[in-house]
Amino acid sequence: MYDYLIVGAGLFGCVFAHEATKKGKKCLVIDKRDHVGGNVYCENVDGINVHKYGAHIFHTNDKAIWDYVNQFAAFNNYVNSPVSISKGKLYNLPFNMNTFYQLWGTKTPEEAKTIIESQIKEFGSKNPENLEEQALSLIGKDVYETLIKEYTEKQWGKKATELPAFIIKRLPVRYTFNNNYFNDAYQGIPIGGYNKIIDGLLKGIDIKTNVDFFKDKDELSSMAKKIVFTGKIDEFYNYKYGNLEYRSLRFENTKLNTENLQGNAVVNYNDSKVPYTRIIEHKHFEFGKQKHTVITKEFSEQWTPEKEAYYPINNDENQKKYQAYKELSLQEPHVIFGGRLAEYKYYDMHQIIASALQKTKKEFN
Ligand code: UDP
């Protein structure tokens, strides 16, 4: 008999399993995929770590979380500085003095601020209620129309006026020439890839891949005293309040006999007529010197049950539904829900780890 059956071998499940094992508990981790690691899993393609389920760049402001991941792998000093192509021109991200120079030719913070503040004034002083209003009130219409609107609508498959405001607050706005996409104090890519962290977390723990929890729910549940569930919460409850909406992704990978195709790990494509949102050139995450390269075109797609659910769509309607599921989940004495899908939350990796550590603390103290 196991103490915990952990459904899903992503970061949440792996951190929980690791901490529980340290406390002397016996865990079984299952995953329906043929590998562990969830969406941070990397596939080695001729010496290049390919982020198979989308680019993952680790960043955090929390020293304890940084120390935690560094137990399992050393990190390189990669700093994410994506660029975006809009109507044939290239712009630096996040929105900073380089971007403003490329847009308007402004050379000082004061010049840029004058333009941005006058555009923000055009929006007025009302409280932003959706992503479009949030962007207009934060950065004005030129940046919104050049670098946000079409990318966002392609990414989410919804009008920017139908999306929650918080999504755009992920991106910094700076009046310095600083192209670092994140404001956090710690950032990097694990040397040797994310699989090294996952393997470290799961060392000595029983694992079963290619196991679908829902196909064998009763039998699997009977193997442990408690369940840690990291899958979709609506699926756990058999969609009784209807299904939550997700956004899915499709990745098109190509190996090329070119040393350096785009000069950067991440290039975003803003224009709606370009069918993909970004091209990832994986070797640049690890400063690769190979003679070849692997690129991934990322297409955003409507989610259907046979596809992977990548992003929760946290608009009011979905949040209301999620709350109903959450109420049910709070009444489960033997199930712990955690992670992006079970909490229906747009978590980053460092937030998932923090949340898993918090839940283990609660469980074992
Ligand atoms: N975004 C944008 N233009 C860009 C990049 C991002 O408008 O070139 C917006 C878009 O709405 C996106 C959000 O900012 O969903 C968050 O972007 P981030 O890069 O953090 O998303 P992720 O890497 O998680 O997909």
Side-chain angles (χ1 to χ4, degrees):
M1 184 77 160
Y2 288 98
D3 292 302
Y4 294 94
L5 170 75
I6 293 159
V7 181
L11 265 182
F12 188 97
C14 293
V15 169
F16 192 100
H18 185 78
E19 294 303 310
T21 306
K22 275 199 326 207
K23 295 281 177 192
K25 305 293 176 189
K26 211 165 151 26
C27 298
L28 171 64
V29 179
I30 61 167
D31 202 290
K32 67 177 174 188
R33 290 181 181 160
D34 63 3
H35 59 77
V36 291
N39 290 348
V40 307
Y41 175 74
C42 292
E43 201 166 74
N44 192 298
V45 179
D46 297 324
I48 296 175
N49 279 316
V50 172
H51 297 206
K52 192 173 174 185
Y53 302 96
H56 282 76
I57 299 129
F58 198 89
H59 58 96
T60 180
N61 234 346
D62 185 336
K63 173 87 165 49
I65 299 295
W66 183 243
D67 291 343
Y68 190 82
V69 289
N70 273 269
Q71 296 176 81
F72 306 105
F75 277 67
N76 70 14
N77 63 347
Y78 175 81
V79 170
N80 197 32
S81 309
V83 293
S84 179
I85 295 177
S86 176
K87 296 176 187 69
K89 274 191 69 179
L90 193 139
Y91 300 88
N92 285 107
L93 291 177
F95 315 124
N96 73 79
M97 287 301 295
N98 291 306
T99 329
F100 308 145
Y101 175 71
Q102 290 146 357
L103 263 172
W104 307 304
T106 48
K107 295 187 191 70
T108 64
E110 201 185 326
E111 285 168 12
K113 256 186 198 155
T114 306
I115 297 182
I116 289 171
E117 277 169 10
S118 87
Q119 293 194 3
I120 289 174
K121 240 192 214 144
E122 273 174 48
F123 172 73
S125 60
K126 74 169 178 159
N127 239 354
E129 277 174 7
N130 55 54
L131 195 152
E132 175 169 300
E133 292 182 4
Q134 181 68 67
L136 290 172
S137 75
L138 213 65
I139 192 77
K141 83 171 192 323
D142 283 359
V143 172
Y144 175 66
E145 283 169 5
T146 311
L147 295 167
I148 299 175
K149 185 176 191 305
E150 291 177 37
Y151 184 97
T152 293
E153 295 187 343
K154 186 158 62 170
Q155 160 69 16
W156 294 97
K158 285 196 188 300
K159 295 256 167 261
T161 48
E162 294 163 3
L163 288 164
F166 81 87
I167 292 175
I168 202 64
K169 288 202 202 144
R170 291 168 60 86
L171 274 59
V173 176
R174 289 193 197 112
Y175 291 96
T176 53
F177 291 92
N178 175 0
N179 297 322
N180 184 346
Y181 201 59
F182 303 112
N183 280 329
D184 292 341
Y186 309 99
Q187 181 173 177
I189 301 285
I191 296 168
Y194 285 94
N195 298 3
K196 218 174 150 191
I197 295 182
I198 296 297
D199 292 346
L201 285 165
L202 292 182
K203 200 169 166 207
I205 297 173
D206 290 353
I207 301 166
K208 280 193 175 139
T209 49
N210 293 309
V211 174
D212 185 342
F213 176 68
F214 293 107
K215 283 219 172 103
D216 238 337
K217 193 174 171 187
D218 292 340
E219 203 191 319
L220 286 164
S221 302
S222 71
M223 291 171 75
K225 293 181 197 147
K226 272 187 156 184
I227 295 173
V228 175
F229 181 76
T230 72
K232 298 200 294 291
I233 191 167
D234 53 346
E235 188 175 11
F236 188 89
Y237 288 111
N238 211 6
Y239 305 102
K240 74 186 272 183
Y241 299 130
N243 71 292
L244 293 163
E245 277 184 293
Y246 302 91
R247 192 71 176 152
S248 195
L249 300 171
R250 179 169 62 82
F251 300 103
E252 228 176 72
N253 295 338
T254 316
K255 185 185 158 192
L256 299 164
N257 285 324
T258 310
E259 205 175 318
N260 180 9
L261 185 79
Q262 62 180 19
N264 209 21
V266 185
V267 178
N268 289 359
Y269 286 81
N270 181 71
D271 301 353
S272 57
K273 65 173 198 299
V274 179
Y276 39 86
T277 51
R278 48 191 169 192
I279 299 182
I280 307 300
E281 188 169 13
H282 300 269
K283 69 189 302 179
H284 296 307
F285 287 129
E286 301 184 48
F287 316 113
K289 298 273 183 287
Q290 300 86 347
K291 290 265 170 276
H292 59 282
T293 195
V294 179
I295 60 157
T296 301
K297 286 184 178 159
E298 188 172 321
F299 300 80
S300 197
E301 289 192 337
Q302 188 173 352
W303 178 82
T304 50
E306 71 285 357
K307 290 184 191 167
E308 296 287 348
Y310 285 97
Y311 295 90
I313 302 182
N314 297 104
N315 60 17
D316 290 347
E317 203 187 320
N318 287 317
Q319 279 311 108
K320 226 186 257 161
K321 238 181 248 176
Y322 167 68
Q323 279 310 323
Y325 285 119
K326 190 178 173 188
E327 289 303 318
L328 290 182
S329 76
L330 293 174
Q331 289 151 34
E332 303 273 0
H334 302 299
V335 188
I336 295 166
F337 293 79
R340 210 184 242 218
L341 298 176
E343 293 182 65
Y344 199 61
K345 205 166 166 189
Y346 192 175
Y347 272 132
D348 289 332
M349 289 179 281
H350 62 292
Q351 296 166 323
I352 295 265
I353 294 170
S355 145
L357 290 175
Q358 223 173 8
K359 288 209 172 150
T360 46
K361 215 167 166 188
K362 207 170 132 202
E363 185 74 2
F364 300 119
N365 277 347

